[in-house]
Amino acid sequence: MSLTVTLNVFSGRPNPTWTVPEGAAAELSERLSKLTSTLNLKPAGGVSTLGYRGFSVRSGDAQSATFIHGGAVDLGQFSPTLLAKDREIEKWLLSTAGSAVPDNVKAHVKSSLKAKLIDSLQTWHAPKATCPKCVAVDAPAYNPGAWNIPAVQPYNNCYNYANNRITNTFAQPGRATGHMYTQLNTCTGAGGVQLGAISDGLAACANFTAPLTVGQGFYVALVLWPGTDFHWYRQDKVGCWSHKPGSTPVTNLDNAGNPITDPRTANRGGYTTFCSYMITKASVHIN
Amino acid sequence: MEAELDVFSGRPNPRWVIPAPESERIAAQLAALSQPADPPAMPGLGFRGFVLRSDRLTARLFGRRIVLSEPGRERVFHDTGALHADLAAEARRRGFASLLAAPPPDDRP
């Protein structure tokens, strides 16, 4: 997928805009996935500033843009801001400009990129919590940056995230294996979501305390909004749990804004039915 | 123009098409928004408002705010509630009444 990049720098003239070819979106995603620090602020302005004001990046025909300025990567109103301390994202974007940006303007941007990060940026700290010990060797790292990007976030849901599988199909339990759920009233009644997940290869378990060695997978949990919807959580390597509510960003906080030490006791809003802890692993097939 | 009731986590959200001239009326309302606002609090599980999509922009209505996303920029405006009410009424007509929740009170300055 191509990227359309705009360098926000001019006041009177139209800003330079260029298209970076196929593979660029994947490279940007890979670079963003390596960013682990998040912020509770957005990049400083496209307004009230002359000269270099960052980049706007649009993937394919997506309508929303990603803004990058001062080391801050703004993926949108409902996504945490990522922090690229070395300004590496901006440096890479500038390197893709070619002849679209005059040499003197490139020099101006390079000079701007040497400046220290905006003083007002603060590192976001999650509320304190004692995370339980994670005893699954294969448990994934908590890395929201890999999910909260325009090419991934809208197209992958809680089931994708819990299984750590990006399919871009808004995966549904059982659909990949011909046994998609047909009712949302009970977990294990005929057509239940839990049965669909078992068809995909997940296995129910009583808790998340039994050690799982290499290849044995990691722990997830299924809950229901009775008669209405399902939701999944996963336990990360850090021991606390995280989730992805539909097409919204990945988060490690529950509906009350608290860290999730156990999805059974977390604030789950309308998802009042706790179905089961389950184990997912590499052999699971979802779609 | 497409409307989406943003509420689910696992299932795809309910969506419906808003035909002309209604879509043009809404586009004009969105173009006329003028009162900037602070961004709404990040939503979690459950009702998260409505999303409108057209060729030119995406509008998210939540928490008495409208977030307009266009190529190259994103802006946040106060929402009087009229458009949200219209969308909620249409959602009820389509059988989605149980999925709706009142927008949170506007306690931001």
Side-chain angles (χ1 to χ4, degrees):
Chain A
M1 189 181 295
S2 63
L3 290 178
T4 301
V5 183
T6 299
L7 170 61
N8 301 308
V9 65
F10 293 144
S11 174
R13 297 164 55 185
N15 284 316
T17 296
W18 63 95
T19 299
V20 189
E22 289 287 330
E27 180 167 359
L28 179 61
S29 294
E30 184 182 345
R31 288 174 179 269
L32 292 177
S33 71
K34 294 175 181 171
L35 304 179
T36 55
S37 297
T38 59
L39 306 171
N40 65 348
L41 296 176
K42 296 299 180 183
V47 294
S48 303
T49 304
L50 291 177
Y52 174 65
R53 301 183 297 280
F55 293 88
S56 303
V57 179
R58 191 155 48 91
S59 175
D61 58 357
Q63 292 184 340
S64 61
T66 297
F67 299 98
I68 304 109
H69 185 219
V73 181
D74 181 5
L75 303 172
Q77 190 58 51
F78 298 97
S79 299
T81 300
L82 302 177
L83 180 61
K85 294 177 184 174
D86 297 329
R87 319 289 295 269
E88 60 265 33
I89 303 296
E90 292 161 274
K91 290 174 184 173
W92 176 73
L93 286 170
L94 184 64
S95 74
T96 68
S99 59
V101 177
D103 288 342
N104 65 324
V105 176
K106 283 184 182 172
H108 162 71
V109 176
K110 286 178 182 174
S111 177
S112 300
L113 293 181
K114 291 178 183 173
K116 63 179 179 179
L117 297 179
I118 299 168
D119 290 341
S120 60
L121 290 178
Q122 299 174 14
T123 300
W124 176 77
H125 293 287
K128 299 281 185 194
T130 302
C131 293
K133 182 178 168 65
C134 177
V135 296
V137 173
D138 291 345
Y142 177 61
N143 179 19
W147 292 83
N148 299 345
I149 55 177
V152 174
Q153 183 182 315
Y155 313 112
N156 294 273
N157 63 359
C158 55
Y159 192 48
N160 284 106
Y161 180 70
N163 287 284
N164 203 29
R165 299 282 186 86
I166 294 173
T167 65
N168 294 330
T169 62
F170 223 75
Q172 302 294 297
R175 182 165 65 188
T177 51
H179 294 91
M180 184 166 159
Y181 68 92
T182 57
Q183 55 89 4
L184 291 162
N185 295 303
T186 65
C187 307
T188 54
V193 178
Q194 187 168 330
L195 299 184
I198 290 172
S199 172
D200 286 347
L202 286 80
C205 55
N207 50 50
F208 54 99
T209 57
L212 299 176
T213 61
V214 173
Q216 291 186 325
F218 57 94
Y219 290 104
V220 298
L222 169 63
V223 300
L224 291 186
W225 176 350
T228 304
D229 193 26
F230 61 89
H231 184 55
W232 292 83
Y233 297 83
R234 81 182 199 193
Q235 186 187 31
D236 298 306
K237 200 174 289 292
V238 69
C240 280
W241 296 65
S242 59
H243 59 145
K244 187 180 187 299
S247 61
T248 67
V250 163
T251 177
N252 58 1
L253 303 179
D254 68 10
N255 249 34
N258 297 314
I260 304 167
T261 56
D262 184 344
R264 185 192 286 271
T265 56
N267 186 314
R268 307 191 300 264
Y271 295 77
T272 53
T273 297
F274 183 86
C275 290
S276 182
Y277 301 105
M278 301 190 82
I279 295 171
T280 184
K281 52 188 176 182
S283 58
V284 159
H285 186 36
I286 72 169
N287 185 41
Chain B
M1 181 177 286
E2 181 186 75
E4 177 180 335
L5 197 177
D6 190 7
V7 63
F8 294 148
S9 172
R11 297 168 60 190
N13 286 322
R15 297 186 181 195
W16 61 89
V17 174
I18 302 176
E22 179 67 11
S23 60
E24 290 158 3
R25 182 185 72 80
I26 294 174
Q29 274 184 272
L30 294 175
L33 291 172
S34 60
Q35 191 179 2
D38 290 335
M42 207 188 283
L45 292 172
F47 180 65
R48 296 180 292 265
F50 297 95
V51 180
L52 297 171
R53 292 187 182 86
S54 70
D55 291 340
R56 292 182 303 278
L57 59 77
T58 299
R60 174 177 283 277
L61 290 77
F62 179 78
R64 299 229 186 271
R65 302 288 188 273
I66 298 179
V67 180
L68 288 188
S69 300
E70 301 165 273
R73 67 173 176 173
E74 192 171 86
R75 296 173 291 161
V76 185
F77 298 95
H78 279 290
D79 177 15
T80 62
L83 183 51
H84 189 283
D86 287 346
L87 291 168
E90 180 61 22
R92 290 188 184 93
R93 276 194 288 274
R94 291 174 178 268
F96 302 131
S98 64
L99 304 179
L100 301 176
D106 184 358
D107 57 359
R108 294 175 184 272

